[in-house]
Amino acid sequence: MGTEARPVVSLRGVRKTFGENEVLKGVNLDVAPGEVVVIFGRSGSGKSTLLRCINLLEEPTSGSVEVAGIRYEAGQGNRRKRNTMREIRSRTGMVFQDFNLFPHLSAIENVIEAPITVKGMPRAEAERLGMRFLEKVGVAEKRDEHPIRLSGGQKQRVAIARALAMQPEVMLFDEPTSALDPELIGEVLAVMKDLALESGTTMVVVTHEMGFAREVANRMAFMHEGNLIEEGPPAELVGGAKDPRTRRFLEAVL
Amino acid sequence: MVWALIFVALAVLFVAFQFDTAFMLQWLPFILAGVPLTILISVLGILLAIPLALLGALGRLSANPVFNGISGFYVSFVRGTPLIVQIFFIYLGLPQLAQYAPGPLQNLFILGTITSGVLALGINYGAYMAEIFRAGIQSVGHGQIEAAQALGMTRAQTMRRIVLPQAIRVIIPPTGNEFIAMIKDSSLVGIVGTQELFFRASKIGRQYFQNLETLVVAAMIYWALTSIFSYFQGRLERRLATGYVRERGGPHGH
Ligand SMILES: Nc1ncnc2c1ncn2[C@@H]1O[C@H](COP(=O)(O)OP(=O)(O)OP(=O)(O)O)[C@@H](O)[C@H]1O
Ligand SMILES: [Mg+2]
């Protein structure tokens, strides 16, 4: 039989403590190419921290993180560690809850900043590429606007284009719609759905949009007090969760 | 209104004390001739202070103990000693060290009054402005830094491309104030014999025993200078306060 494709993201025994507070308690997670994994769970259970450990915005206290074949071990020596972290980050796209667009740059400048500074791409080429992604997320006509002139939904779509422009191997989304007015959530979810279903983008998404999860996710994973305690395809997990804690949470949010 | 009354009162005093206005007018051109040098010293001083302040601020924010220590010492020492002592130290103190320097380098220790003044003002203001720059850099939200790092940017790239361009908006207005303050402090450079505004005024005043008249002339000129620069500084400040919005309505070139 065919061999399983090598995972794009592979976490092994990832622990993270802030002082006395153990936020992640040895998480294992594999994400296959093209797979969409939705992580859900209560506030404070460690979902953001887990996502941020994947691109090493948080450095795990112990364990290992591998992204696109680049391996990071907690406790590596300094110089090498920083290079590894940067390599992993340039292959990982992240979309934040509150957008974090660069306010001094226009939409297109936000998108081409990293391809130019990090990859050394010529400006003309970066702009061509950048426009492609602005078109993909449907805000091409806003190319010269600064973030202050964009709606929340447009901001988040520019932020998605900015992350995509680095042509990452995996996109990480941390509650990308929870700072948005209800009527703007749909446009962002539509872009994400398109990325997942049409473009086959590998995605790890923290969200409580269960409709989106059921429609788009290949797998859902429930985070509880620093552990991923149960996971499975949405069809199995929703309505058929084995762990009572998962079941209780799902009943509450559905 | 109040100002008008004050001026009237001053005019009365003027007459009462038999101010020699003819004398003042006679020497006005000679004193005014010091203005270009006053401005030159201040401009060069602020141009030197800016990079020093940036280095000082980056040092204070750095995790590197050597860099941090050096800038901490710089800021503390310079702020803890009088400007006039620093001017004399550079102008009169340094030449004394020249004898220990190898031949061709000796001239580096013997500086003209203008060079000494610019150096002293730049070093002195750089130490004060380091705090302004540090506050400006710290005013940029952590989310901005994380967004840049998530794209794979190095710390230096993040500082140069994301943090500093945003910090500039916070830094420019108080830097304008510092420049205005420096115009006044540049009079201290006159004490070592630079032919700037204050030197000229006090020279004539002492020569003819009409110090009051020449000092009033000098004060009025300083006041006029600082008022003019304050006006432009205020306009600049208002423009910066309008946020990251491009001028609209102009033809777009694409
Ligand atoms: N930088 C930090 N320093 C200290 N504690 C932190 C830090 N970041 C997170 N924590 C703590 O870690 C725990 C998990 O936080 P995390 O943000 O990962 O939760 P979450 O599941 O994303 O919650 P939410 O749904 O509210 O976003 C919380 O108790 C939080 O206070
Ligand atoms: Mg979170």
Side-chain angles (χ1 to χ4, degrees):
Chain A
M1 285 302 292
T3 48
E4 282 259 311
R6 188 194 173 111
V8 179
V9 175
S10 183
L11 306 184
R12 286 292 171 271
V14 169
R15 277 181 59 254
K16 176 69 186 177
T17 56
F18 292 110
E20 296 285 280
N21 186 8
E22 186 172 30
V23 174
L24 297 179
K25 298 173 179 164
V27 174
N28 300 314
L29 178 70
D30 282 330
V31 183
E35 195 179 21
V36 177
V37 177
V38 163
I39 292 169
F40 65 108
R42 255 210 302 277
S43 177
S45 56
K47 308 179 296 295
S48 295
T49 307
L50 175 63
L51 216 53
R52 292 158 58 82
C53 278
I54 297 178
N55 70 353
L56 302 168
L57 283 183
E58 300 292 356
E59 294 181 49
T61 310
S62 63
S64 72
V65 173
E66 193 176 312
V67 174
I70 299 157
R71 191 177 166 78
Y72 168 95
E73 294 270 2
Q76 268 176 351
N78 235 323
R79 174 75 42 87
R80 202 166 118 227
K81 187 164 77 178
R82 245 191 275 160
N83 287 337
T84 311
M85 287 166 66
R86 250 195 336 272
E87 283 205 38
I88 286 184
R89 285 174 187 160
S90 66
R91 286 170 171 76
T92 317
M94 184 165 227
V95 176
F96 301 87
Q97 181 173 340
D98 40 11
F99 327 127
N100 289 339
L101 285 180
F102 304 131
H104 60 301
L105 302 178
S106 67
I108 184 72
E109 287 166 341
N110 263 278
V111 175
I112 66 179
E113 178 60 42
I116 292 176
T117 26
V118 177
K119 285 186 172 170
M121 190 181 283
R123 193 178 175 96
E125 188 187 339
E127 285 198 14
R128 241 177 292 127
L129 179 86
M131 278 316 289
R132 225 176 69 213
F133 287 113
L134 283 181
E135 274 158 27
K136 193 181 179 77
V137 301
V139 286
E141 80 285 1
K142 299 291 182 190
R143 59 167 283 164
D144 293 318
E145 297 289 4
H146 279 62
I148 199 164
R149 290 190 167 274
L150 302 176
S151 74
Q154 289 166 342
K155 277 185 205 162
Q156 195 57 301
R157 286 186 284 152
V158 172
I160 293 173
R162 175 177 71 178
L164 288 174
M166 285 298 281
Q167 302 183 288
E169 312 262 344
V170 56
M171 286 283 286
L172 311 175
F173 293 84
D174 192 359
E175 303 201 40
T177 58
S178 53
L180 295 175
D181 292 337
E183 73 273 18
L184 300 177
I185 290 175
E187 64 189 57
V188 171
L189 290 181
V191 165
M192 290 169 62
K193 188 173 154 187
D194 179 71
L195 282 180
L197 302 181
E198 304 301 320
S199 314
T201 311
T202 310
M203 303 182 3
V204 183
V205 185
V206 172
T207 185
H208 290 131
E209 295 290 335
M210 286 300 155
F212 170 84
R214 280 207 272 194
E215 212 175 333
V216 178
N218 304 99
R219 195 148 49 98
M220 290 173 69
F222 180 60
M223 186 103 202
H224 182 79
E225 292 177 2
N227 281 307
L228 289 175
I229 60 170
E230 188 171 10
E231 60 168 62
E236 283 175 25
L237 207 64
V238 178
K242 295 187 190 71
D243 194 297
R245 294 167 295 186
T246 318
R247 229 179 304 139
R248 220 175 313 130
F249 183 85
L250 282 169
E251 277 161 15
V253 296
L254 283 175
Chain B
M1 251 334 273
V2 179
W3 284 34
L5 287 176
I6 294 175
F7 279 123
V8 170
L10 286 176
V12 170
L13 284 179
F14 237 60
V15 178
F17 291 123
Q18 298 179 330
F19 258 46
D20 191 345
T21 35
F23 176 82
M24 288 164 81
L25 278 178
Q26 184 197 343
W27 289 104
L28 179 64
F30 177 77
I31 298 176
L32 267 180
V35 168
L37 195 52
T38 288
I39 293 182
L40 177 74
I41 290 172
S42 306
V43 167
L44 293 178
I46 203 85
L47 288 180
L48 173 62
I50 287 170
L52 289 177
L54 179 59
L55 280 176
L58 292 176
R60 295 311 294 277
L61 293 169
S62 169
N64 179 324
V66 176
F67 192 23
N68 193 305
I70 290 174
S71 67
F73 171 77
Y74 163 57
V75 169
S76 167
F77 179 75
V78 171
R79 289 173 62 136
T81 52
L83 175 55
I84 189 73
V85 172
Q86 292 162 13
I87 293 172
F88 275 82
F89 183 83
I90 292 175
Y91 181 60
L92 298 175
L94 277 188
Q96 215 175 316
L97 297 177
Q99 53 180 313
Y100 302 107
L105 291 180
Q106 282 186 358
N107 286 338
L108 286 180
F109 289 84
I110 302 165
L111 301 170
T113 55
I114 299 179
T115 316
S116 304
V118 166
L119 272 179
L121 283 171
I123 291 171
N124 182 276
Y125 273 65
Y128 283 94
M129 285 160 56
E131 282 306 303
I132 295 174
F133 277 55
R134 181 163 79 144
I137 289 169
Q138 286 183 320
S139 76
V140 178
H142 196 61
Q144 291 289 307
I145 295 164
E146 293 202 332
Q149 311 242 287
L151 289 163
M153 293 169 80
T154 63
R155 286 191 219 174
Q157 288 167 339
T158 304
M159 189 50 73
R160 197 160 40 80
R161 304 285 311 170
I162 305 303
V163 176
L164 285 181
Q166 295 183 58
I168 288 278
R169 304 178 72 88
V170 180
I171 289 169
I172 283 177
T175 297
N177 287 333
E178 293 294 315
F179 175 68
I180 290 163
M182 195 187 277
I183 289 177
K184 292 177 286 172
D185 274 350
S186 70
S187 60
L188 290 173
V189 183
I191 292 175
V192 292
T194 304
Q195 300 262 332
E196 49 72 72
L197 180 42
F198 173 69
F199 175 85
R200 283 162 176 260
S202 58
K203 178 178 160 188
I204 298 305
R206 262 181 284 198
Q207 201 169 325
Y208 296 93
F209 299 105
Q210 293 192 304
N211 284 302
L212 205 49
E213 279 87 347
T214 57
L215 288 176
V216 166
V217 170
M220 296 308 278
I221 298 174
Y222 278 116
W223 190 22
L225 283 178
T226 52
S227 300
I228 292 168
F229 284 111
S230 295
Y231 169 75
F232 286 114
Q233 203 259 351
R235 283 180 47 150
L236 187 67
E237 202 164 321
R238 271 193 300 283
R239 260 191 64 176
L240 287 174
T242 53
Y244 296 103
V245 188
R246 279 241 170 102
E247 302 292 326
R248 313 217 73 208
H252 273 260
H254 59 260

